[in-house]
Amino acid sequence: MFEWFSEIQWEHLYDPQLALDSLPFLLEGLKITMIIALFSMFFALILGILLGIARMSKFWFLRWPARIYISFMRGTPLLVFIFILYYGVPVLGVQFSSAIVAGIVGISLNFAAYNAEVVRSAIMSVPRGQWEAAASLQMGYVQTLRRIIIPQATRIALPPTFNIFMDVVKGTSLASVITVQELLYSSRLVAGRTFDSMTMYITAALIYWVVCIVIGHFQERLEKRYNRYLSRR
């Protein structure tokens, strides 16, 4: 064990100077990563809410398509879906304006399924008595959702939604396979030029980690603020 440890060429494991020199280039890639992540999460959230509500509908023609869509997206790898979109859909005559757009569409459609399940579970976790109490006050379905159910469900949905957002940020790395120059792709470019893959991939991993720490911190602050808002209602 000690021999193995002593034989490691630590000087070749990580080159801090190379990481520092390539940081501006990697941050340009990070900018693309965050653009894809923010747009993807925005569209995935909207579509996820619609799918989640449709999944709980009493109408089968809404419930079953939503159920099949969620099952398909959760059961297929995101990478395969991105390949289908980027290389397969153009055969049908649909062209994306850029690889970034294709990446955003692919990630949005895929993670909408996970958001839909979060929405559904959050609404279902609100006690049934809340619905009955609203009905006794002559509230309609929409009014009950808006004033009673959604505020409580939002508090429940916040942690898993932010977890999905972290997965979206990490999932953007798959866009590199369709030549989107995001963070991982930028790291690969530098690694190919300097022949130091270890340093560049470790640096990319550290940047992803820092981004997720920031998102986690923002989540905690938002949860505290939202809880204070609910306590004042």
Side-chain angles (χ1 to χ4, degrees), residues 21-46:
D21 291 343
S22 57
L23 197 56
F25 185 66
L26 297 186
L27 291 180
E28 286 296 316
L30 178 62
K31 192 188 300 180
I32 303 295
T33 289
M34 293 313 298
I35 289 173
I36 296 173
L38 290 171
F39 274 102
S40 299
M41 190 60 191
F42 175 74
F43 292 123
L45 204 52
I46 292 174

Side-chain angles (χ1 to χ4, degrees), residues 6 21 25 28 33 35 50 58 66 104 145 153 158 171 186 192 203 208 215 232:
S6 62
D21 291 343
F25 185 66
E28 286 296 316
T33 289
I35 289 173
L50 296 176
K58 60 183 178 182
I104 291 173
L145 272 180
L158 273 178
S186 301
T203 306
Y208 280 117
I215 293 172
R232 289 198 299 266

Side-chain angles (χ1 to χ4, degrees), residues 8-205:
I8 296 177
Q9 297 177 321
W10 294 102
E11 68 277 12
H12 294 153
L13 185 62
Y14 193 78
D15 184 349
Q17 189 59 47
L18 173 61
L20 201 60
D21 291 343
S22 57
L23 197 56
F25 185 66
L26 297 186
L27 291 180
E28 286 296 316
L30 178 62
K31 192 188 300 180
I32 303 295
T33 289
M34 293 313 298
I35 289 173
I36 296 173
L38 290 171
F39 274 102
S40 299
M41 190 60 191
F42 175 74
F43 292 123
L45 204 52
I46 292 174
L47 184 58
I49 291 171
L50 296 176
L51 283 168
I53 293 173
R55 175 85 165 75
M56 294 184 297
S57 173
K58 60 183 178 182
F59 301 112
W60 66 267
F61 54 86
L62 293 177
R63 188 174 63 251
W64 275 101
R67 195 168 185 166
I68 292 170
Y69 179 89
I70 292 168
S71 173
F72 177 76
M73 287 299 178
R74 293 177 70 194
T76 52
L78 174 58
L79 182 59
V80 173
F81 193 64
I82 288 176
F83 276 139
I84 291 173
L85 273 179
Y86 192 65
Y87 296 111
V89 169
V91 176
L92 304 175
V94 179
Q95 292 283 351
F96 293 103
S97 57
S98 69
I100 293 178
V101 174
I104 291 173
V105 172
I107 295 170
S108 302
L109 293 176
N110 189 272
F111 280 97
Y114 296 93
N115 278 324
E117 287 300 273
V118 169
V119 169
R120 185 178 69 87
S121 61
I123 291 177
M124 289 184 68
S125 62
V126 177
R128 189 66 194 169
Q130 300 285 323
W131 290 91
E132 294 167 355
S136 68
L137 295 173
Q138 307 297 318
M139 286 187 181
Y141 180 76
V142 175
Q143 192 179 15
T144 303
L145 272 180
R146 184 172 60 84
R147 299 189 60 180
I148 307 293
I149 305 301
I150 289 179
Q152 297 182 64
T154 300
R155 180 170 58 183
I156 298 168
L158 273 178
T161 300
F162 272 91
N163 285 339
I164 290 176
F165 184 41
M166 289 184 193
D167 287 340
V168 168
V169 171
K170 291 178 282 186
T172 57
S173 61
L174 296 176
S176 65
V177 299
I178 54 173
T179 68
V180 175
Q181 193 173 334
E182 43 70 66
L183 176 57
L184 182 62
Y185 191 89
S186 301
S187 305
R188 283 168 49 194
L189 287 179
V190 180
R193 194 176 65 243
T194 60
F195 302 104
D196 191 346
S197 301
M198 186 64 86
T199 295
M200 298 319 302
Y201 291 142
I202 289 177
T203 306

